[in-house]
Amino acid sequence: MSRKTIAVLCSGGDAPGMNAAVRSVVRAALARGWHVLGVERGYQGLLEERLNIMTHRSVSGIIHRGGTVLKTSRSRRFRTPEGVKRAAEVLREYKISALVVIGGNGSCRGLLDLSEHWNGQTIALPGTIDNDLNGTDYTIGYDTAVNVALEAIDRLRDTAESLERTFIVEVMGRDSGFNALDVALAAGAEQALIPEVPVSLGDVLANVQAARAKGKTSNILVVAEGFPPGGAASVARYLTEHDNPDFYRLCVLGHVQRGGAPTAKDRLLATRLGAAAVEALDQGASGVLVGEIAGRSTQTPLRQAVDVRKPAATELLDLLDILSR
Ligand code: F6P
């Protein structure tokens, strides 16, 4: 009987811990005697046939590195019917029987599309700093991204205190407020503005002014990228137009949050999930997202992982309000 051949790729926005996941998938699969191909540049690389044989040495010295050594992409071609069919053909040509994709929501959708044209096993691992995937409590990269933002905000607090200013800090999260909520609570910020809970800019200003009247000499507002109408820039514009502009400064953390060495928590999660993905393949699983809920390894149908919205803990906004008075 020929050896089982599996492929692994990273897709969409990179997330710290992806390398630890790749390492774990590769070495757990090699331990079973399987053949492993690493696909460079995500689904786009599959279309371009950028597949390399992975050995133990291919994943040496990467567990502590941010980004992904496999590189990643947001492939336009793969999103076309022709692209998906071609990707399925490549998988057949290389006699791949299972594909592990590490990525976020869009990457899981891509895997679902692919499974309509290819009957190999498909497993997704949650790799995104957004934490917005249903089927896992935490995604790979989220903990690092929150910690990176916290470190930056701790620094901003020093200058905010010294000049008695309000900093409007944007964190990532196009559609969800996971980052903004956790970062705001852990940083002791005064307000968190998230896409799920629209607040009028007039109320934001009133809260800042009330805090100032109570003797608060600095304010930190943590704004999710997706807060309407235009993230932190629109909040900053409103505040500077309706109050003394000297009081306000804007800081967009953006992609800074995606970089740097993964935290221990992300390395461990990625390592466990990578091994669990291989175990799931060995047991014949397919079409699932392998995650962890309440400390237990879980498998969630891909359709459910992408179509059911994972709710951010918006009740934490009340706690933030109480604690920041
Ligand atoms: O999906 C992860 C993420 O970092 C989002 O938070 C953000 O909106 C998006 O990627 C940014 O994408 P890009 O790197 O393509 O600018």
Side-chain angles (χ1 to χ4, degrees):
M1 213 173 85
S2 61
R3 278 165 80 191
K4 184 179 179 76
T5 300
I6 74 162
V8 56
L9 62 81
C10 297
S11 165
D14 52 284
M18 277 182 164
N19 282 328
V22 170
R23 173 180 178 270
S24 180
V25 168
V26 169
R27 291 192 175 169
L30 291 175
R32 283 172 165 79
W34 298 351
H35 197 58
V36 188
L37 296 173
V39 185
E40 280 178 21
R41 300 183 65 209
Y43 292 118
Q44 182 62 31
L46 196 55
L47 294 170
E48 294 168 2
E49 299 185 45
R50 291 171 175 258
L51 295 94
N52 302 306
I53 294 168
M54 304 295 278
T55 66
H56 285 87
R57 297 290 72 78
S58 322
V59 289
S60 289
I62 68 168
I63 196 168
H64 61 293
R65 286 168 59 189
T68 160
V69 292
L70 286 180
K71 301 196 184 298
T72 179
S73 65
R74 300 191 193 277
S75 172
R76 284 183 199 281
R77 185 175 162 208
F78 179 73
R79 273 179 258 150
T80 66
E82 177 277 328
V84 182
K85 282 186 200 147
R86 177 63 198 141
E89 266 169 37
V90 173
L91 290 167
R92 279 189 287 275
E93 281 166 23
Y94 282 79
K95 302 199 179 340
I96 292 164
S97 61
L99 176 64
V100 178
V101 170
I102 307 163
N105 202 286
S107 310
C108 291
R109 282 187 197 283
L111 198 52
L112 270 172
D113 293 344
L114 191 56
S115 61
E116 284 175 24
H117 301 275
W118 179 63
N119 61 13
Q121 288 173 277
T122 51
I123 298 273
L125 289 183
T128 166
I129 66 159
D130 290 351
N131 200 32
D132 59 350
L133 262 177
N134 191 37
T136 193
D137 286 341
Y138 294 102
T139 55
I140 297 163
Y142 178 67
D143 185 64
T144 308
V146 167
N147 277 292
V148 169
L150 270 182
E151 194 190 319
I153 292 176
D154 289 349
R155 288 166 194 265
L156 290 175
R157 185 67 91 170
D158 290 347
T159 175
E161 270 291 317
S162 304
L163 279 156
E164 302 186 36
R165 279 175 167 158
T166 291
F167 266 83
I168 302 131
V169 186
E170 184 171 286
V171 294
M172 277 198 165
R174 210 174 10 208
D175 307 310
S176 62
F178 287 96
N179 262 285
L181 266 174
D182 281 352
V183 167
L185 271 168
E190 278 62 38
Q191 295 186 57
L193 303 175
I194 61 174
E196 294 90 336
V197 182
V199 179
S200 85
L201 294 178
D203 284 349
V204 174
L205 174 60
N207 288 338
V208 172
Q209 290 177 332
R212 204 182 293 140
K214 277 190 297 189
K216 281 216 162 209
T217 50
S218 73
N219 270 279
I220 302 283
L221 314 188
V222 181
V223 185
E225 187 188 1
F227 178 74
S234 60
V235 176
R237 198 175 315 115
Y238 181 90
L239 296 176
T240 48
E241 279 170 10
H242 292 81
D243 198 1
N244 182 344
D246 291 343
F247 290 164
Y248 299 97
R249 288 295 182 268
L250 168 66
C251 178
V252 177
L253 294 178
H255 294 82
V256 170
Q257 264 191 289
R258 286 226 298 249
T263 58
K265 208 169 163 187
D266 273 331
R267 295 183 204 192
L268 291 169
L269 177 67
T271 298
R272 288 193 302 267
L273 291 181
V278 172
E279 175 69 28
L281 288 176
D282 210 4
Q283 290 174 0
S286 185
V288 293
L289 173 101
V290 170
E292 274 185 14
I293 297 175
R296 303 187 95 100
S297 180
T298 53
Q299 296 178 16
T300 303
L302 279 175
R303 176 60 61 204
Q304 201 176 316
V306 297
D307 284 351
V308 179
R309 195 180 165 84
K310 177 172 158 188
T314 51
E315 67 278 6
L316 290 177
L317 285 172
D318 294 332
L319 181 61
L320 184 69
D321 182 42
I322 292 167
L323 299 183
S324 63
R325 280 179 198 168

